[in-house]
mmCIF file of all heavy atoms in Angstrom:
data_model
loop_
_atom_site.group_PDB
_atom_site.id
_atom_site.type_symbol
_atom_site.label_atom_id
_atom_site.label_comp_id
_atom_site.label_asym_id
_atom_site.label_seq_id
_atom_site.Cartn_x
_atom_site.Cartn_y
_atom_site.Cartn_z
ATOM 1 N N PRO A 271 112.297 134.240 127.473
ATOM 2 C CA PRO A 271 112.619 133.560 126.222
ATOM 3 C C PRO A 271 113.788 132.619 126.404
ATOM 4 O O PRO A 271 114.758 132.943 127.090
ATOM 5 C CB PRO A 271 112.971 134.709 125.265
ATOM 6 C CG PRO A 271 113.395 135.821 126.158
ATOM 7 C CD PRO A 271 112.584 135.683 127.402
ATOM 8 N N SER A 272 113.684 131.440 125.812
ATOM 9 C CA SER A 272 114.749 130.452 125.935
ATOM 10 C C SER A 272 115.569 130.412 124.672
ATOM 11 O O SER A 272 115.123 130.807 123.607
ATOM 12 C CB SER A 272 114.150 129.068 126.204
ATOM 13 O OG SER A 272 113.316 128.681 125.137
ATOM 14 N N ALA A 273 116.792 129.904 124.803
ATOM 15 C CA ALA A 273 117.662 129.733 123.652
ATOM 16 C C ALA A 273 117.139 128.590 122.803
ATOM 17 O O ALA A 273 116.379 127.752 123.263
ATOM 18 C CB ALA A 273 119.087 129.431 124.123
ATOM 19 N N PRO A 274 117.540 128.503 121.522
ATOM 20 C CA PRO A 274 117.075 127.410 120.654
ATOM 21 C C PRO A 274 117.417 126.064 121.254
ATOM 22 O O PRO A 274 118.518 125.847 121.758
ATOM 23 C CB PRO A 274 117.842 127.657 119.337
ATOM 24 C CG PRO A 274 118.197 129.108 119.372
ATOM 25 C CD PRO A 274 118.390 129.457 120.811
ATOM 26 N N ALA A 275 116.452 125.135 121.200
ATOM 27 C CA ALA A 275 116.669 123.803 121.763
ATOM 28 C C ALA A 275 117.653 123.029 120.924
ATOM 29 O O ALA A 275 117.836 123.289 119.742
ATOM 30 C CB ALA A 275 115.339 123.051 121.845
ATOM 31 N N ALA A 276 118.285 122.025 121.518
ATOM 32 C CA ALA A 276 119.222 121.166 120.795
ATOM 33 C C ALA A 276 118.475 120.367 119.751
ATOM 34 O O ALA A 276 117.299 120.066 119.889
ATOM 35 C CB ALA A 276 119.927 120.230 121.778
ATOM 36 N N ALA A 277 119.165 120.000 118.669
ATOM 37 C CA ALA A 277 118.533 119.253 117.578
ATOM 38 C C ALA A 277 118.035 117.918 118.078
ATOM 39 O O ALA A 277 118.691 117.238 118.860
ATOM 40 C CB ALA A 277 119.537 119.043 116.447
ATOM 41 N N ALA A 278 116.851 117.515 117.624
ATOM 42 C CA ALA A 278 116.287 116.226 118.011
ATOM 43 C C ALA A 278 117.072 115.112 117.364
ATOM 44 O O ALA A 278 117.659 115.288 116.302
ATOM 45 C CB ALA A 278 114.819 116.149 117.577
ATOM 46 N N PRO A 279 117.090 113.923 117.952
ATOM 47 C CA PRO A 279 117.859 112.810 117.374
ATOM 48 C C PRO A 279 117.473 112.510 115.945
ATOM 49 O O PRO A 279 118.299 112.135 115.149
ATOM 50 C CB PRO A 279 117.532 111.639 118.305
ATOM 51 C CG PRO A 279 117.159 112.278 119.609
ATOM 52 C CD PRO A 279 116.504 113.577 119.238
ATOM 53 N N ALA A 280 116.182 112.674 115.579
ATOM 54 C CA ALA A 280 115.740 112.335 114.219
ATOM 55 C C ALA A 280 116.411 113.199 113.185
ATOM 56 O O ALA A 280 116.499 112.824 112.023
ATOM 57 C CB ALA A 280 114.227 112.489 114.114
ATOM 58 N N ALA A 281 116.907 114.374 113.562
ATOM 59 C CA ALA A 281 117.526 115.271 112.593
ATOM 60 C C ALA A 281 118.815 114.686 112.050
ATOM 61 O O ALA A 281 119.301 115.097 111.017
ATOM 62 C CB ALA A 281 117.807 116.619 113.234
ATOM 63 N N ARG A 282 119.399 113.702 112.734
ATOM 64 C CA ARG A 282 120.638 113.106 112.273
ATOM 65 C C ARG A 282 120.403 111.996 111.269
ATOM 66 O O ARG A 282 121.336 111.464 110.701
ATOM 67 C CB ARG A 282 121.422 112.558 113.470
ATOM 68 C CG ARG A 282 121.925 113.637 114.406
ATOM 69 C CD ARG A 282 122.973 113.073 115.354
ATOM 70 N NE ARG A 282 122.408 112.079 116.255
ATOM 71 C CZ ARG A 282 121.933 112.361 117.442
ATOM 72 N NH1 ARG A 282 121.915 113.601 117.879
ATOM 73 N NH2 ARG A 282 121.455 111.405 118.221
ATOM 74 N N LEU A 283 119.150 111.591 111.040
ATOM 75 C CA LEU A 283 118.854 110.509 110.111
ATOM 76 C C LEU A 283 118.925 110.997 108.685
ATOM 77 O O LEU A 283 118.813 112.172 108.397
ATOM 78 C CB LEU A 283 117.459 109.942 110.389
ATOM 79 C CG LEU A 283 117.258 109.365 111.789
ATOM 80 C CD1 LEU A 283 115.827 108.876 111.923
ATOM 81 C CD2 LEU A 283 118.239 108.252 112.075
ATOM 82 N N SER A 284 119.075 110.053 107.790
ATOM 83 C CA SER A 284 119.077 110.384 106.372
ATOM 84 C C SER A 284 117.732 110.961 105.964
ATOM 85 O O SER A 284 116.682 110.557 106.442
ATOM 86 C CB SER A 284 119.358 109.116 105.547
ATOM 87 O OG SER A 284 119.129 109.337 104.185
ATOM 88 N N ALA A 285 117.774 111.901 105.034
ATOM 89 C CA ALA A 285 116.534 112.552 104.601
ATOM 90 C C ALA A 285 115.587 111.577 103.942
ATOM 91 O O ALA A 285 114.377 111.786 103.912
ATOM 92 C CB ALA A 285 116.865 113.687 103.638
ATOM 93 N N SER A 286 116.114 110.469 103.391
ATOM 94 C CA SER A 286 115.267 109.498 102.715
ATOM 95 C C SER A 286 114.625 108.505 103.671
ATOM 96 O O SER A 286 113.839 107.679 103.261
ATOM 97 C CB SER A 286 116.092 108.730 101.672
ATOM 98 O OG SER A 286 117.119 107.997 102.322
ATOM 99 N N ASN A 287 115.001 108.577 104.926
ATOM 100 C CA ASN A 287 114.464 107.633 105.901
ATOM 101 C C ASN A 287 113.211 108.207 106.532
ATOM 102 O O ASN A 287 113.283 109.066 107.394
ATOM 103 C CB ASN A 287 115.535 107.357 106.959
ATOM 104 C CG ASN A 287 115.132 106.243 107.888
ATOM 105 O OD1 ASN A 287 113.969 105.835 107.897
ATOM 106 N ND2 ASN A 287 116.067 105.761 108.673
ATOM 107 N N HIS A 288 112.050 107.750 106.086
ATOM 108 C CA HIS A 288 110.792 108.298 106.561
ATOM 109 C C HIS A 288 110.289 107.591 107.800
ATOM 110 O O HIS A 288 109.272 107.962 108.352
ATOM 111 C CB HIS A 288 109.730 108.178 105.452
ATOM 112 C CG HIS A 288 110.141 108.848 104.182
ATOM 113 N ND1 HIS A 288 109.721 108.422 102.946
ATOM 114 C CD2 HIS A 288 110.977 109.898 103.951
ATOM 115 C CE1 HIS A 288 110.246 109.182 102.000
ATOM 116 N NE2 HIS A 288 111.014 110.077 102.590
ATOM 117 N N SER A 289 110.968 106.573 108.234
ATOM 118 C CA SER A 289 110.454 105.768 109.329
ATOM 119 C C SER A 289 110.800 106.327 110.694
ATOM 120 O O SER A 289 110.210 105.954 111.679
ATOM 121 C CB SER A 289 111.014 104.346 109.228
ATOM 122 O OG SER A 289 112.399 104.368 109.502
ATOM 123 N N GLY A 290 111.786 107.225 110.756
ATOM 124 C CA GLY A 290 112.204 107.766 112.025
ATOM 125 C C GLY A 290 113.259 106.913 112.704
ATOM 126 O O GLY A 290 113.715 107.227 113.786
ATOM 127 N N SER A 291 113.689 105.823 112.066
ATOM 128 C CA SER A 291 114.731 104.968 112.635
ATOM 129 C C SER A 291 115.535 104.349 111.511
ATOM 130 O O SER A 291 114.973 103.764 110.596
ATOM 131 C CB SER A 291 114.113 103.862 113.482
ATOM 132 O OG SER A 291 115.104 102.925 113.848
ATOM 133 N N PRO A 292 116.873 104.463 111.547
ATOM 134 C CA PRO A 292 117.685 103.900 110.468
ATOM 135 C C PRO A 292 117.636 102.386 110.428
ATOM 136 O O PRO A 292 117.951 101.784 109.444
ATOM 137 C CB PRO A 292 119.101 104.401 110.820
ATOM 138 C CG PRO A 292 119.071 104.666 112.285
ATOM 139 C CD PRO A 292 117.667 105.115 112.587
ATOM 140 N N LYS A 293 117.207 101.738 111.521
ATOM 141 C CA LYS A 293 117.151 100.285 111.534
ATOM 142 C C LYS A 293 115.899 99.765 110.834
ATOM 143 O O LYS A 293 115.883 98.661 110.324
ATOM 144 C CB LYS A 293 117.200 99.783 112.976
ATOM 145 C CG LYS A 293 118.528 100.052 113.668
ATOM 146 C CD LYS A 293 118.549 99.472 115.069
ATOM 147 C CE LYS A 293 119.885 99.711 115.748
ATOM 148 N NZ LYS A 293 119.926 99.155 117.108
ATOM 149 N N LEU A 294 114.833 100.539 110.825
ATOM 150 C CA LEU A 294 113.588 100.078 110.224
ATOM 151 C C LEU A 294 113.568 100.304 108.725
ATOM 152 O O LEU A 294 112.973 99.549 107.989
ATOM 153 C CB LEU A 294 112.406 100.797 110.878
ATOM 154 C CG LEU A 294 112.152 100.463 112.349
ATOM 155 C CD1 LEU A 294 110.985 101.279 112.872
ATOM 156 C CD2 LEU A 294 111.887 98.981 112.533
ATOM 157 N N GLY A 295 114.190 101.342 108.243
ATOM 158 C CA GLY A 295 114.219 101.606 106.826
ATOM 159 C C GLY A 295 112.998 102.338 106.330
ATOM 160 O O GLY A 295 112.203 102.890 107.093
ATOM 161 N N THR A 296 112.815 102.336 105.014
ATOM 162 C CA THR A 296 111.773 103.093 104.341
ATOM 163 C C THR A 296 110.967 102.187 103.424
ATOM 164 O O THR A 296 111.510 101.265 102.831
ATOM 165 C CB THR A 296 112.416 104.221 103.500
ATOM 166 O OG1 THR A 296 113.202 105.042 104.357
ATOM 167 C CG2 THR A 296 111.350 105.080 102.833
ATOM 168 N N LYS A 297 109.696 102.467 103.298
ATOM 169 C CA LYS A 297 108.855 101.740 102.345
ATOM 170 C C LYS A 297 109.080 102.331 100.957
ATOM 171 O O LYS A 297 108.860 103.513 100.733
ATOM 172 C CB LYS A 297 107.386 101.835 102.736
ATOM 173 C CG LYS A 297 107.060 101.061 104.004
ATOM 174 C CD LYS A 297 105.555 100.946 104.209
ATOM 175 C CE LYS A 297 105.242 100.039 105.389
ATOM 176 N NZ LYS A 297 103.802 99.772 105.533
ATOM 177 N N ARG A 298 109.508 101.474 100.047
ATOM 178 C CA ARG A 298 109.801 101.918 98.685
ATOM 179 C C ARG A 298 109.033 101.070 97.676
ATOM 180 O O ARG A 298 108.664 99.933 97.960
ATOM 181 C CB ARG A 298 111.298 101.787 98.390
ATOM 182 C CG ARG A 298 112.193 102.626 99.298
ATOM 183 C CD ARG A 298 113.662 102.421 98.913
ATOM 184 N NE ARG A 298 114.530 103.245 99.733
ATOM 185 C CZ ARG A 298 115.029 102.889 100.903
ATOM 186 N NH1 ARG A 298 114.734 101.696 101.393
ATOM 187 N NH2 ARG A 298 115.812 103.690 101.593
ATOM 188 N N LEU A 299 108.845 101.617 96.499
ATOM 189 C CA LEU A 299 108.289 100.827 95.412
ATOM 190 C C LEU A 299 109.305 99.748 95.042
ATOM 191 O O LEU A 299 110.517 99.976 95.124
ATOM 192 C CB LEU A 299 107.984 101.720 94.208
ATOM 193 C CG LEU A 299 106.851 102.723 94.410
ATOM 194 C CD1 LEU A 299 106.793 103.696 93.234
ATOM 195 C CD2 LEU A 299 105.514 102.038 94.588
ATOM 196 N N PRO A 300 108.847 98.573 94.624
ATOM 197 C CA PRO A 300 109.793 97.473 94.361
ATOM 198 C C PRO A 300 110.718 97.762 93.191
ATOM 199 O O PRO A 300 110.306 98.353 92.193
ATOM 200 C CB PRO A 300 108.876 96.277 94.074
ATOM 201 C CG PRO A 300 107.575 96.879 93.677
ATOM 202 C CD PRO A 300 107.449 98.167 94.435
ATOM 203 N N GLN A 301 111.962 97.349 93.341
ATOM 204 C CA GLN A 301 112.921 97.446 92.236
ATOM 205 C C GLN A 301 112.917 96.175 91.392
ATOM 206 O O GLN A 301 113.463 96.163 90.299
ATOM 207 C CB GLN A 301 114.334 97.679 92.781
ATOM 208 C CG GLN A 301 114.529 98.999 93.500
ATOM 209 C CD GLN A 301 114.299 98.873 94.997
ATOM 210 O OE1 GLN A 301 114.251 97.776 95.539
ATOM 211 N NE2 GLN A 301 114.143 99.988 95.670
ATOM 212 N N ALA A 302 112.321 95.106 91.912
ATOM 213 C CA ALA A 302 112.270 93.832 91.183
ATOM 214 C C ALA A 302 110.929 93.164 91.434
ATOM 215 O O ALA A 302 110.355 93.292 92.514
ATOM 216 C CB ALA A 302 113.414 92.923 91.617
ATOM 217 N N LEU A 303 110.441 92.455 90.418
ATOM 218 C CA LEU A 303 109.149 91.782 90.502
ATOM 219 C C LEU A 303 109.274 90.357 89.970
ATOM 220 O O LEU A 303 109.923 90.129 88.943
ATOM 221 C CB LEU A 303 108.095 92.515 89.670
ATOM 222 C CG LEU A 303 107.744 93.955 90.034
ATOM 223 C CD1 LEU A 303 106.837 94.544 88.960
ATOM 224 C CD2 LEU A 303 107.065 94.014 91.381
ATOM 225 N N ILE A 304 108.650 89.417 90.663
ATOM 226 C CA ILE A 304 108.454 88.072 90.110
ATOM 227 C C ILE A 304 107.083 88.109 89.446
ATOM 228 O O ILE A 304 106.054 88.120 90.115
ATOM 229 C CB ILE A 304 108.514 86.995 91.203
ATOM 230 C CG1 ILE A 304 109.864 87.039 91.927
ATOM 231 C CG2 ILE A 304 108.282 85.613 90.604
ATOM 232 C CD1 ILE A 304 109.975 86.079 93.100
ATOM 233 N N VAL A 305 107.065 88.159 88.132
ATOM 234 C CA VAL A 305 105.818 88.421 87.410
ATOM 235 C C VAL A 305 105.136 87.156 86.890
ATOM 236 O O VAL A 305 104.015 87.227 86.366
ATOM 237 C CB VAL A 305 106.060 89.399 86.235
ATOM 238 C CG1 VAL A 305 106.550 90.741 86.742
ATOM 239 C CG2 VAL A 305 107.041 88.811 85.225
ATOM 240 N N GLY A 306 105.763 86.022 87.006
ATOM 241 C CA GLY A 306 105.130 84.803 86.507
ATOM 242 C C GLY A 306 106.077 83.627 86.617
ATOM 243 O O GLY A 306 107.237 83.789 87.007
ATOM 244 N N VAL A 307 105.525 82.414 86.275
ATOM 245 C CA VAL A 307 104.131 82.187 85.917
ATOM 246 C C VAL A 307 103.481 81.333 86.993
ATOM 247 O O VAL A 307 104.178 80.677 87.783
ATOM 248 C CB VAL A 307 103.996 81.478 84.557
ATOM 249 C CG1 VAL A 307 104.536 82.333 83.432
ATOM 250 C CG2 VAL A 307 104.688 80.116 84.555
#
Side-chain angles (χ1 to χ4, degrees):
S272 61
R282 293 194 295 268
L283 300 179
S284 169
S286 63
N287 188 347
H288 303 150
S289 69
S291 171
K293 293 183 179 180
L294 293 178
T296 303
K297 291 191 174 187
R298 299 180 178 88
L299 292 171
Q301 295 93 14
L303 298 172
I304 301 175
V305 298
V307 296

